[in-house]
Amino acid sequence: MSKKGYSRPGLFGTVNHYDVNGKKIGESRPGFFGGMNNYDSNGKKVGHSDPALFGGMNHYDSHGHKVGSSRPGFLGGVNHYDKTGHKKGHSNPGIFGGMSHYDE
């Protein structure tokens, strides 16, 4: 398992995403009904995430096709799955807030 990046809270409910070297690679902004709209580093919308049944989030590309899901994990972590349900990685709470992301 290798660290692939991290996310930190931003202003007004946004979440900033960074690669392992600290370069900003995207941002998520609050959407309607508890979802998030996802943008790349240039500000282009690349998808959205909506709350799933029983917790977690379903993730969609910019065309509305489901590309994966995230479900609550152990000790505040989150497990990530592809569209077929295979585990692809996990995120754990970071030392200074936010989440650290790892691939399986």
Side-chain angles (χ1 to χ4, degrees):
M1 124 181 93
S2 62
K3 186 172 181 179
K4 293 298 180 183
Y6 58 95
S7 299
R8 298 286 183 260
L11 297 174
F12 307 110
T14 64
V15 177
N16 296 313
H17 308 289
Y18 302 90
D19 67 12
V20 73
N21 297 317
K23 181 181 179 214
K24 186 174 179 180
I25 56 172
E27 176 180 282
S28 295
R29 301 176 194 155
F32 294 110
F33 309 112
M36 297 292 277
N37 293 315
N38 306 313
Y39 299 86
D40 65 13
S41 60
N42 297 319
K44 180 182 177 213
K45 186 174 179 180
V46 294
H48 68 278
S49 300
D50 292 325
L53 197 60
F54 306 116
M57 299 290 275
N58 289 321
H59 308 292
Y60 302 89
D61 65 16
S62 60
H63 302 290
H65 301 114
K66 187 174 179 180
V67 296
S69 63
S70 298
R71 297 182 214 138
F74 189 65
L75 295 175
V78 178
N79 294 318
H80 307 288
Y81 301 88
D82 64 14
K83 65 182 176 182
T84 62
H86 294 97
K87 187 174 179 183
K88 292 298 183 182
H90 67 277
S91 298
N92 293 327
I95 296 172
F96 301 107
M99 300 290 276
S100 296
H101 309 295
Y102 300 89
D103 282 347
E104 293 294 313

